[in-house]
């Protein structure tokens, strides 16, 4: 999937706003509602960016952050807080935060800071996924083929990113649907097929087919025709 973001926020309305907004921007987002859950998910899962509220039930955000850093956690952390005093910002940064954003904040500014943190965190110095002449810059949310920008919807780009992360592998319809739509595949909906068809149309405007249907199994990203392919 795309950049993975963990939102640790106990205010249900703020959490819902963040999760929905970031998902609409194409990010993979999960939510933890208190400090204990946030700490557990930081320990057991890998994240590209963490949005962490300072004031959380069970375990406060700064304690979660300090423990995460002490345990070797390297994911960039953006602290969210209603307090904007210099002492509060210093305390947060000294606890291991990479950035600090005071509530209320503009969503556009949040997105800009997430992009900056994602670029900074990538150990390879790039947030680029590529295969042949296909590429997606995860931080900039920009997709290209043969150096030409692709005008993709959020779901089409999420599909492309999933394929770019798994070149040469057959991805089942069930796994694709669950990872991109975050829902169980009922075996009846043609939503996936419609999106694949449209993604292919946009990709093939700048080159040959690279997403193949493997009959009875699923789809594959390949620079060579796939045996048992079914052209649809």
């Amino acid at each position: 999937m795309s950049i993975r973001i963990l939102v640790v926020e106990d205010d249900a309305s703020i959490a819902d706003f963040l999760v929905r907004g970031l998902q609409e921007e194409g990010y993979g987002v999960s939510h933890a509602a208190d400090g204990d859950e946030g700490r557990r998910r930081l320990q057991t899962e890998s994240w590209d960016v963490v949005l962490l509220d300072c004031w959380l039930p069970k375990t406060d955000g700064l304690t979660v952050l300090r423990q995460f850093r002490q345990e070797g956690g390297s994911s960039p952390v953006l602290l969210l807080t209603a307090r904007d005093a210099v002492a509060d910002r210093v305390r947060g940064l000294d606890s291991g935060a990479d950035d600090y954003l005071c509530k209320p904040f503009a969503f556009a500014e949040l997105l800009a800071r997430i992009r900056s943190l994602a670029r900074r965190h990538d150990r390879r110095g790039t947030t680029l996924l590529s295969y042949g002449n296909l590429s997606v810059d995860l931080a900039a949310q920009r997709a290209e083929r043969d150096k030409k920008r692709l005008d993709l919807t959020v779901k089409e780009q999420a599909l492309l990113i999933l394929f770019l992360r798994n070149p040469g592998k057959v991805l089942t319809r069930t796994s694709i649907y669950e990872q991109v739509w975050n829902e169980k595949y009922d075996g009846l909906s043609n939503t996936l097929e419609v999106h694949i068809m449209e993604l292919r149309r946009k990709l093939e405007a700048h080159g040959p087919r690279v997403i193949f249907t493997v009959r009875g199994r699923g789809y594959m990203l390949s620079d060579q025709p796939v045996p048992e392919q079914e052209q649809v």
Side-chain angles (χ1 to χ4, degrees), residues 13-208:
S13 61
I14 294 176
D16 183 68
F17 167 74
L18 291 173
V19 170
R20 288 177 180 272
L22 292 170
Q23 286 178 338
E24 288 175 0
E25 293 294 323
Y27 294 107
V29 189
S30 293
H31 172 234
D34 59 59
D36 284 0
E37 184 184 0
R39 181 171 56 183
R40 177 184 62 78
R41 299 201 66 174
L42 285 171
Q43 291 173 334
T44 59
E45 300 175 65
S46 176
W47 306 99
D48 297 302
V49 176
V50 179
L51 306 185
L52 177 65
D53 185 36
C54 282
W55 304 102
L56 295 166
K58 298 187 178 180
T59 305
D60 69 89
L62 293 185
T63 299
V64 171
L65 176 57
R66 284 192 293 268
Q67 292 176 344
F68 178 58
R69 294 301 188 216
Q70 290 168 1
E71 293 166 357
S74 61
S75 300
V77 175
L78 174 61
L79 280 181
L80 305 177
T81 181
R83 297 190 176 186
D84 61 354
V86 172
D88 292 314
R89 294 199 298 270
V90 170
R91 187 157 47 249
L93 294 170
D94 283 346
S95 296
D98 296 271
D99 203 352
Y100 200 99
L101 193 57
C102 293
K103 303 173 183 177
F105 49 81
F107 190 65
E109 181 180 5
L110 174 67
L111 291 176
R113 291 180 184 240
I114 288 173
R115 290 192 295 268
S116 176
L117 289 173
R119 286 193 297 267
R120 193 186 314 170
H121 175 60
D122 192 272
R123 296 182 183 277
R124 299 164 298 173
T126 179
T127 54
L128 195 69
L129 287 175
S130 63
Y131 182 79
N133 63 0
L134 263 176
S135 67
V136 175
D137 186 320
L138 298 176
Q141 293 290 290
R142 180 186 178 96
E144 294 183 347
R145 186 172 193 187
D146 196 24
K147 299 184 179 179
K148 299 178 180 66
R149 184 161 189 171
L150 300 170
D151 183 19
L152 304 180
T153 66
V154 169
K155 292 303 185 187
E156 289 165 1
Q157 184 152 304
L159 279 170
L160 180 57
I161 289 170
L162 181 60
F163 282 118
L164 287 172
R165 290 192 184 279
N166 297 276
K169 297 179 182 179
V170 177
L171 301 178
T172 67
R173 289 172 172 81
T174 298
S175 67
I176 296 172
Y177 201 84
E178 291 180 354
Q179 291 183 71
V180 174
W181 277 268
N182 296 311
E183 297 176 2
K184 293 292 184 182
Y185 181 56
D186 60 12
L188 300 174
S189 171
N190 69 342
T191 299
L192 174 58
E193 284 72 16
V194 170
H195 280 77
I196 290 285
M197 182 173 62
E198 187 62 14
L199 176 58
R200 279 174 171 162
R201 183 184 68 79
K202 294 178 180 180
L203 293 177
E204 291 167 21
H206 306 291

